[in-house]
Amino acid sequence: MDEISTRHSSNPYAAPLVGTGAVSEPVSLEQRTARLKRAVGDNFEIYQRRWNLHSAHPLPPRPWHWPAFLFGVYWLLFRKMYLVALLFFVVSETLAFVIALAGAPQAVIYAVFFVLKAGLGLVANALYLRHCQRLVRKVEHAHPGAEHRVGSELERRGGTSYPVLVAGLAAAVALRVWVGLA
């Protein structure tokens, strides 16, 4: 049995073998909440209420998020949701370009931007919860059983980023200047 439990499988799709340390222990609700707190960083108490983490029965997150509606891609960058920020930016700019090519009035472009930002405001809490839960799972999987390492990785990879926010604002200004000069 020892030989079977410690041998290494060359099949990457095989289930982890017993005794390899590849499967982490289940975590308690308190530990899960503490890990989410480290992933969110500042303002966790606000997000805890928005996500209904305190309720006895699982409830969906509250639907409206003002910062996401007002700041859109900049809020996504600030909260380190880079892929979603890129997707939101590409979709909104592509739609604006297509609408402008079609010769529609400027008001139509503003209406489309409003709808996109309202959509982001409606799904932002659920989107951020999913992002944080995914980050926690990813870090737990990368460092099973190493609680200190999990905590420090969540603090490093989670939270907010002012440098990325400033870089995003600078890129937006540079893009607007470049488009204005073209």
Side-chain angles (χ1 to χ4, degrees):
M1 180 75 173
D2 252 354
E3 180 184 322
I4 294 172
S5 65
T6 58
R7 75 181 155 95
H8 176 68
S9 174
S10 61
N11 181 356
Y13 303 106
L17 299 173
V18 177
T20 61
V23 178
S24 61
E25 295 294 319
V27 295
S28 67
L29 180 62
E30 293 81 21
Q31 194 174 22
R32 176 76 52 192
T33 303
R35 288 179 177 179
L36 277 173
K37 183 175 184 173
R38 288 186 130 171
V40 172
D42 295 339
N43 295 331
F44 175 73
E45 289 74 24
I46 293 170
Y47 283 102
Q48 186 177 22
R49 284 191 306 273
R50 287 180 181 167
W51 295 340
N52 297 312
L53 295 180
H54 59 281
S55 67
H57 303 288
L59 295 170
R62 290 198 324 213
W64 190 253
H65 193 280
W66 278 107
F69 170 70
L70 295 173
F71 302 109
V73 73
Y74 304 113
W75 177 79
L76 292 167
L77 289 172
F78 181 65
R79 285 287 165 188
K80 296 185 176 181
M81 293 190 280
Y82 306 128
L83 187 60
V84 179
L86 179 65
L87 181 66
F88 186 81
F89 176 77
V90 168
V91 167
S92 61
E93 293 299 319
T94 302
L95 283 173
F97 181 73
V98 168
I99 292 169
L101 274 180
Q106 192 74 21
V108 173
I109 295 174
Y110 291 139
V112 168
F113 273 122
F114 178 81
V115 168
L116 286 173
K117 289 182 85 170
L120 181 61
L122 284 171
V123 300
N125 283 320
L127 193 66
Y128 190 45
L129 174 59
R130 183 173 177 257
H131 168 77
C132 290
Q133 288 173 332
R134 188 168 172 251
L135 176 63
V136 168
R137 281 193 308 271
K138 203 177 209 182
V139 170
E140 286 173 345
H141 182 71
H143 308 288
E147 188 59 35
H148 179 69
R149 178 67 188 221
V150 168
S152 62
E153 272 299 299
L154 288 172
E155 286 177 3
R156 184 181 71 79
R157 294 171 59 181
T160 58
S161 177
Y162 285 100
V164 173
L165 174 63
V166 170
L169 289 167
V173 169
L175 182 65
R176 298 296 178 213
V177 168
W178 181 70
V179 168
L181 296 176

